[in-house]
Amino acid sequence: MENQHLADSLETCLEQLNRQAVIAYPTEAVFGLGCDPDSESAVMALLALKQRPVEKGLILIAADYTQLEPYISARELSVIQRERMFACWPGPVTFVVPVPPQTPRWLTGQFDSLAIRVSDHPDVQALCRAFGKPLVSTSANLSGLPPCRTAEEVKQQFGEQFPVSVGKNRWAAQSL
């Protein structure tokens, strides 16, 4: 029964992503808020929800490095920089890398770079693979409140109807 519930939440989140909506999902540490990085309206909705200025820039989280390549200037990375990234991925480490001019400013903010991560969390992997690209990622919490560590906390902060992938973040699983 739990596997069906997880599959249903994944399907619901994919439907919402395809509708340019914001979703919540578990990550390595806390629940994250995410959306389609190619949808300016979805990113603006996420930023409004978080009360976060666009100038700060965002993080993209992916299932694998190839999902990130359209958004970054991979040729500008040295062999050593690539080796360092690939030694940490998949995993909870985020890197800031240069971007080409066509990367949307709603992702980079005031910077000519972008924060990126290849996650090893199974729910993030499943979402990004099923969606076919990375997600914008930021902690799931309203301004001034602590980040959500459970699906229940997401529902408390964002409402019962907010789309949530109901897997567990690793922190919550370890603290039980």
PDB file of all heavy atoms in Angstrom, residues 8-30:
ATOM      1  N   ASP A   8       1.594   7.294  -6.387  1.00  0.00           N
ATOM      2  CA  ASP A   8       0.560   8.312  -6.599  1.00  0.00           C
ATOM      3  C   ASP A   8       1.103   9.713  -6.375  1.00  0.00           C
ATOM      4  O   ASP A   8       0.789  10.637  -7.126  1.00  0.00           O
ATOM      5  CB  ASP A   8      -0.633   8.069  -5.664  1.00  0.00           C
ATOM      6  CG  ASP A   8      -1.441   6.835  -6.042  1.00  0.00           C
ATOM      7  OD1 ASP A   8      -1.254   6.311  -7.157  1.00  0.00           O
ATOM      8  OD2 ASP A   8      -2.241   6.393  -5.201  1.00  0.00           O
ATOM      9  N   SER A   9       1.937   9.900  -5.335  1.00  0.00           N
ATOM     10  CA  SER A   9       2.456  11.236  -5.065  1.00  0.00           C
ATOM     11  C   SER A   9       3.431  11.661  -6.158  1.00  0.00           C
ATOM     12  O   SER A   9       3.469  12.825  -6.550  1.00  0.00           O
ATOM     13  CB  SER A   9       3.108  11.310  -3.684  1.00  0.00           C
ATOM     14  OG  SER A   9       4.333  10.628  -3.641  1.00  0.00           O
ATOM     15  N   LEU A  10       4.221  10.720  -6.676  1.00  0.00           N
ATOM     16  CA  LEU A  10       5.130  11.030  -7.782  1.00  0.00           C
ATOM     17  C   LEU A  10       4.328  11.457  -9.008  1.00  0.00           C
ATOM     18  O   LEU A  10       4.633  12.469  -9.633  1.00  0.00           O
ATOM     19  CB  LEU A  10       6.018   9.832  -8.116  1.00  0.00           C
ATOM     20  CG  LEU A  10       6.935  10.009  -9.327  1.00  0.00           C
ATOM     21  CD1 LEU A  10       7.985  11.077  -9.081  1.00  0.00           C
ATOM     22  CD2 LEU A  10       7.593   8.696  -9.691  1.00  0.00           C
ATOM     23  N   GLU A  11       3.288  10.707  -9.320  1.00  0.00           N
ATOM     24  CA  GLU A  11       2.444  11.036 -10.481  1.00  0.00           C
ATOM     25  C   GLU A  11       1.780  12.403 -10.308  1.00  0.00           C
ATOM     26  O   GLU A  11       1.745  13.205 -11.234  1.00  0.00           O
ATOM     27  CB  GLU A  11       1.386   9.947 -10.681  1.00  0.00           C
ATOM     28  CG  GLU A  11       0.616  10.086 -11.967  1.00  0.00           C
ATOM     29  CD  GLU A  11       1.490   9.986 -13.207  1.00  0.00           C
ATOM     30  OE1 GLU A  11       2.439   9.200 -13.214  1.00  0.00           O
ATOM     31  OE2 GLU A  11       1.204  10.710 -14.189  1.00  0.00           O
ATOM     32  N   THR A  12       1.291  12.685  -9.116  1.00  0.00           N
ATOM     33  CA  THR A  12       0.668  13.986  -8.839  1.00  0.00           C
ATOM     34  C   THR A  12       1.679  15.116  -9.013  1.00  0.00           C
ATOM     35  O   THR A  12       1.387  16.145  -9.619  1.00  0.00           O
ATOM     36  CB  THR A  12       0.091  14.014  -7.409  1.00  0.00           C
ATOM     37  OG1 THR A  12      -0.929  13.018  -7.307  1.00  0.00           O
ATOM     38  CG2 THR A  12      -0.489  15.373  -7.057  1.00  0.00           C
ATOM     39  N   CYS A  13       2.887  14.913  -8.482  1.00  0.00           N
ATOM     40  CA  CYS A  13       3.919  15.940  -8.612  1.00  0.00           C
ATOM     41  C   CYS A  13       4.310  16.163 -10.065  1.00  0.00           C
ATOM     42  O   CYS A  13       4.494  17.302 -10.499  1.00  0.00           O
ATOM     43  CB  CYS A  13       5.132  15.576  -7.768  1.00  0.00           C
ATOM     44  SG  CYS A  13       4.845  15.822  -5.998  1.00  0.00           S
ATOM     45  N   LEU A  14       4.410  15.097 -10.843  1.00  0.00           N
ATOM     46  CA  LEU A  14       4.727  15.246 -12.274  1.00  0.00           C
ATOM     47  C   LEU A  14       3.638  16.023 -13.001  1.00  0.00           C
ATOM     48  O   LEU A  14       3.936  16.893 -13.827  1.00  0.00           O
ATOM     49  CB  LEU A  14       4.919  13.881 -12.926  1.00  0.00           C
ATOM     50  CG  LEU A  14       6.218  13.178 -12.569  1.00  0.00           C
ATOM     51  CD1 LEU A  14       6.212  11.755 -13.110  1.00  0.00           C
ATOM     52  CD2 LEU A  14       7.409  13.950 -13.088  1.00  0.00           C
ATOM     53  N   GLU A  15       2.390  15.723 -12.696  1.00  0.00           N
ATOM     54  CA  GLU A  15       1.276  16.470 -13.307  1.00  0.00           C
ATOM     55  C   GLU A  15       1.385  17.950 -12.965  1.00  0.00           C
ATOM     56  O   GLU A  15       1.193  18.818 -13.825  1.00  0.00           O
ATOM     57  CB  GLU A  15      -0.064  15.918 -12.813  1.00  0.00           C
ATOM     58  CG  GLU A  15      -0.420  14.566 -13.374  1.00  0.00           C
ATOM     59  CD  GLU A  15      -1.664  13.965 -12.720  1.00  0.00           C
ATOM     60  OE1 GLU A  15      -2.355  14.669 -11.944  1.00  0.00           O
ATOM     61  OE2 GLU A  15      -1.930  12.780 -12.986  1.00  0.00           O
ATOM     62  N   GLN A  16       1.700  18.257 -11.709  1.00  0.00           N
ATOM     63  CA  GLN A  16       1.819  19.654 -11.289  1.00  0.00           C
ATOM     64  C   GLN A  16       3.009  20.344 -11.953  1.00  0.00           C
ATOM     65  O   GLN A  16       2.906  21.501 -12.368  1.00  0.00           O
ATOM     66  CB  GLN A  16       1.928  19.738  -9.756  1.00  0.00           C
ATOM     67  CG  GLN A  16       0.660  19.303  -9.038  1.00  0.00           C
ATOM     68  CD  GLN A  16      -0.535  20.124  -9.465  1.00  0.00           C
ATOM     69  OE1 GLN A  16      -0.507  21.359  -9.472  1.00  0.00           O
ATOM     70  NE2 GLN A  16      -1.607  19.451  -9.856  1.00  0.00           N
ATOM     71  N   LEU A  17       4.133  19.645 -12.066  1.00  0.00           N
ATOM     72  CA  LEU A  17       5.287  20.220 -12.766  1.00  0.00           C
ATOM     73  C   LEU A  17       4.932  20.546 -14.214  1.00  0.00           C
ATOM     74  O   LEU A  17       5.306  21.604 -14.728  1.00  0.00           O
ATOM     75  CB  LEU A  17       6.475  19.256 -12.729  1.00  0.00           C
ATOM     76  CG  LEU A  17       7.175  19.106 -11.387  1.00  0.00           C
ATOM     77  CD1 LEU A  17       8.151  17.933 -11.419  1.00  0.00           C
ATOM     78  CD2 LEU A  17       7.895  20.397 -11.001  1.00  0.00           C
ATOM     79  N   ASN A  18       4.220  19.661 -14.863  1.00  0.00           N
ATOM     80  CA  ASN A  18       3.817  19.895 -16.251  1.00  0.00           C
ATOM     81  C   ASN A  18       2.802  21.023 -16.378  1.00  0.00           C
ATOM     82  O   ASN A  18       2.639  21.589 -17.453  1.00  0.00           O
ATOM     83  CB  ASN A  18       3.274  18.605 -16.867  1.00  0.00           C
ATOM     84  CG  ASN A  18       4.395  17.640 -17.192  1.00  0.00           C
ATOM     85  OD1 ASN A  18       5.433  18.022 -17.709  1.00  0.00           O
ATOM     86  ND2 ASN A  18       4.191  16.376 -16.869  1.00  0.00           N
ATOM     87  N   ARG A  19       2.149  21.380 -15.281  1.00  0.00           N
ATOM     88  CA  ARG A  19       1.199  22.508 -15.254  1.00  0.00           C
ATOM     89  C   ARG A  19       1.869  23.796 -14.786  1.00  0.00           C
ATOM     90  O   ARG A  19       1.189  24.761 -14.454  1.00  0.00           O
ATOM     91  CB  ARG A  19       0.024  22.179 -14.337  1.00  0.00           C
ATOM     92  CG  ARG A  19      -0.869  21.101 -14.875  1.00  0.00           C
ATOM     93  CD  ARG A  19      -2.052  20.903 -13.960  1.00  0.00           C
ATOM     94  NE  ARG A  19      -2.895  19.854 -14.497  1.00  0.00           N
ATOM     95  CZ  ARG A  19      -3.591  19.007 -13.771  1.00  0.00           C
ATOM     96  NH1 ARG A  19      -3.574  19.087 -12.450  1.00  0.00           N
ATOM     97  NH2 ARG A  19      -4.327  18.084 -14.346  1.00  0.00           N
ATOM     98  N   GLN A  20       3.204  23.771 -14.685  1.00  0.00           N
ATOM     99  CA  GLN A  20       3.993  24.939 -14.260  1.00  0.00           C
ATOM    100  C   GLN A  20       3.747  25.298 -12.801  1.00  0.00           C
ATOM    101  O   GLN A  20       3.850  26.467 -12.414  1.00  0.00           O
ATOM    102  CB  GLN A  20       3.708  26.163 -15.143  1.00  0.00           C
ATOM    103  CG  GLN A  20       3.677  25.906 -16.636  1.00  0.00           C
ATOM    104  CD  GLN A  20       4.947  25.247 -17.158  1.00  0.00           C
ATOM    105  OE1 GLN A  20       6.024  25.754 -16.930  1.00  0.00           O
ATOM    106  NE2 GLN A  20       4.812  24.131 -17.821  1.00  0.00           N
ATOM    107  N   ALA A  21       3.435  24.315 -11.965  1.00  0.00           N
ATOM    108  CA  ALA A  21       3.186  24.547 -10.543  1.00  0.00           C
ATOM    109  C   ALA A  21       4.433  24.231  -9.724  1.00  0.00           C
ATOM    110  O   ALA A  21       5.376  23.603 -10.206  1.00  0.00           O
ATOM    111  CB  ALA A  21       2.013  23.685 -10.074  1.00  0.00           C
ATOM    112  N   VAL A  22       4.425  24.658  -8.481  1.00  0.00           N
ATOM    113  CA  VAL A  22       5.488  24.384  -7.517  1.00  0.00           C
ATOM    114  C   VAL A  22       5.105  23.142  -6.724  1.00  0.00           C
ATOM    115  O   VAL A  22       3.943  22.967  -6.359  1.00  0.00           O
ATOM    116  CB  VAL A  22       5.682  25.595  -6.568  1.00  0.00           C
ATOM    117  CG1 VAL A  22       6.745  25.315  -5.519  1.00  0.00           C
ATOM    118  CG2 VAL A  22       6.029  26.850  -7.364  1.00  0.00           C
ATOM    119  N   ILE A  23       6.091  22.276  -6.453  1.00  0.00           N
ATOM    120  CA  ILE A  23       5.869  21.069  -5.673  1.00  0.00           C
ATOM    121  C   ILE A  23       6.864  21.007  -4.516  1.00  0.00           C
ATOM    122  O   ILE A  23       7.830  21.774  -4.486  1.00  0.00           O
ATOM    123  CB  ILE A  23       6.026  19.794  -6.538  1.00  0.00           C
ATOM    124  CG1 ILE A  23       7.474  19.655  -7.036  1.00  0.00           C
ATOM    125  CG2 ILE A  23       5.024  19.794  -7.696  1.00  0.00           C
ATOM    126  CD1 ILE A  23       7.836  18.283  -7.541  1.00  0.00           C
ATOM    127  N   ALA A  24       6.638  20.069  -3.602  1.00  0.00           N
ATOM    128  CA  ALA A  24       7.591  19.800  -2.525  1.00  0.00           C
ATOM    129  C   ALA A  24       8.021  18.341  -2.619  1.00  0.00           C
ATOM    130  O   ALA A  24       7.232  17.479  -3.033  1.00  0.00           O
ATOM    131  CB  ALA A  24       6.962  20.084  -1.167  1.00  0.00           C
ATOM    132  N   TYR A  25       9.269  18.083  -2.235  1.00  0.00           N
ATOM    133  CA  TYR A  25       9.809  16.728  -2.314  1.00  0.00           C
ATOM    134  C   TYR A  25      10.949  16.579  -1.313  1.00  0.00           C
ATOM    135  O   TYR A  25      11.594  17.553  -0.943  1.00  0.00           O
ATOM    136  CB  TYR A  25      10.312  16.425  -3.730  1.00  0.00           C
ATOM    137  CG  TYR A  25      11.286  17.456  -4.236  1.00  0.00           C
ATOM    138  CD1 TYR A  25      12.644  17.323  -4.016  1.00  0.00           C
ATOM    139  CD2 TYR A  25      10.831  18.600  -4.880  1.00  0.00           C
ATOM    140  CE1 TYR A  25      13.530  18.287  -4.439  1.00  0.00           C
ATOM    141  CE2 TYR A  25      11.718  19.574  -5.299  1.00  0.00           C
ATOM    142  CZ  TYR A  25      13.060  19.408  -5.074  1.00  0.00           C
ATOM    143  OH  TYR A  25      13.939  20.374  -5.470  1.00  0.00           O
ATOM    144  N   PRO A  26      11.218  15.354  -0.854  1.00  0.00           N
ATOM    145  CA  PRO A  26      12.306  15.149   0.091  1.00  0.00           C
ATOM    146  C   PRO A  26      13.657  15.216  -0.603  1.00  0.00           C
ATOM    147  O   PRO A  26      13.796  14.840  -1.764  1.00  0.00           O
ATOM    148  CB  PRO A  26      12.040  13.741   0.638  1.00  0.00           C
ATOM    149  CG  PRO A  26      11.294  13.060  -0.452  1.00  0.00           C
ATOM    150  CD  PRO A  26      10.493  14.127  -1.147  1.00  0.00           C
ATOM    151  N   THR A  27      14.645  15.741   0.111  1.00  0.00           N
ATOM    152  CA  THR A  27      16.021  15.752  -0.380  1.00  0.00           C
ATOM    153  C   THR A  27      16.909  15.097   0.677  1.00  0.00           C
ATOM    154  O   THR A  27      16.405  14.542   1.651  1.00  0.00           O
ATOM    155  CB  THR A  27      16.517  17.187  -0.674  1.00  0.00           C
ATOM    156  OG1 THR A  27      16.676  17.880   0.556  1.00  0.00           O
ATOM    157  CG2 THR A  27      15.573  17.933  -1.595  1.00  0.00           C
ATOM    158  N   GLU A  28      18.204  15.215   0.500  1.00  0.00           N
ATOM    159  CA  GLU A  28      19.132  14.592   1.435  1.00  0.00           C
ATOM    160  C   GLU A  28      18.969  15.111   2.865  1.00  0.00           C
ATOM    161  O   GLU A  28      19.191  14.374   3.812  1.00  0.00           O
ATOM    162  CB  GLU A  28      20.582  14.817   0.986  1.00  0.00           C
ATOM    163  CG  GLU A  28      20.961  14.098  -0.282  1.00  0.00           C
ATOM    164  CD  GLU A  28      20.651  14.862  -1.557  1.00  0.00           C
ATOM    165  OE1 GLU A  28      20.002  15.929  -1.499  1.00  0.00           O
ATOM    166  OE2 GLU A  28      21.049  14.391  -2.620  1.00  0.00           O
ATOM    167  N   ALA A  29      18.612  16.376   3.032  1.00  0.00           N
ATOM    168  CA  ALA A  29      18.568  16.965   4.373  1.00  0.00           C
ATOM    169  C   ALA A  29      17.162  17.392   4.800  1.00  0.00           C
ATOM    170  O   ALA A  29      16.718  17.058   5.889  1.00  0.00           O
ATOM    171  CB  ALA A  29      19.507  18.162   4.435  1.00  0.00           C
ATOM    172  N   VAL A  30      16.482  18.154   3.969  1.00  0.00           N
ATOM    173  CA  VAL A  30      15.152  18.672   4.291  1.00  0.00           C
ATOM    174  C   VAL A  30      14.260  18.505   3.067  1.00  0.00           C
ATOM    175  O   VAL A  30      14.721  18.087   2.006  1.00  0.00           O
ATOM    176  CB  VAL A  30      15.216  20.163   4.693  1.00  0.00           C
ATOM    177  CG1 VAL A  30      16.021  20.361   5.969  1.00  0.00           C
ATOM    178  CG2 VAL A  30      15.760  21.029   3.574  1.00  0.00           C
TER     179      VAL A  30
END
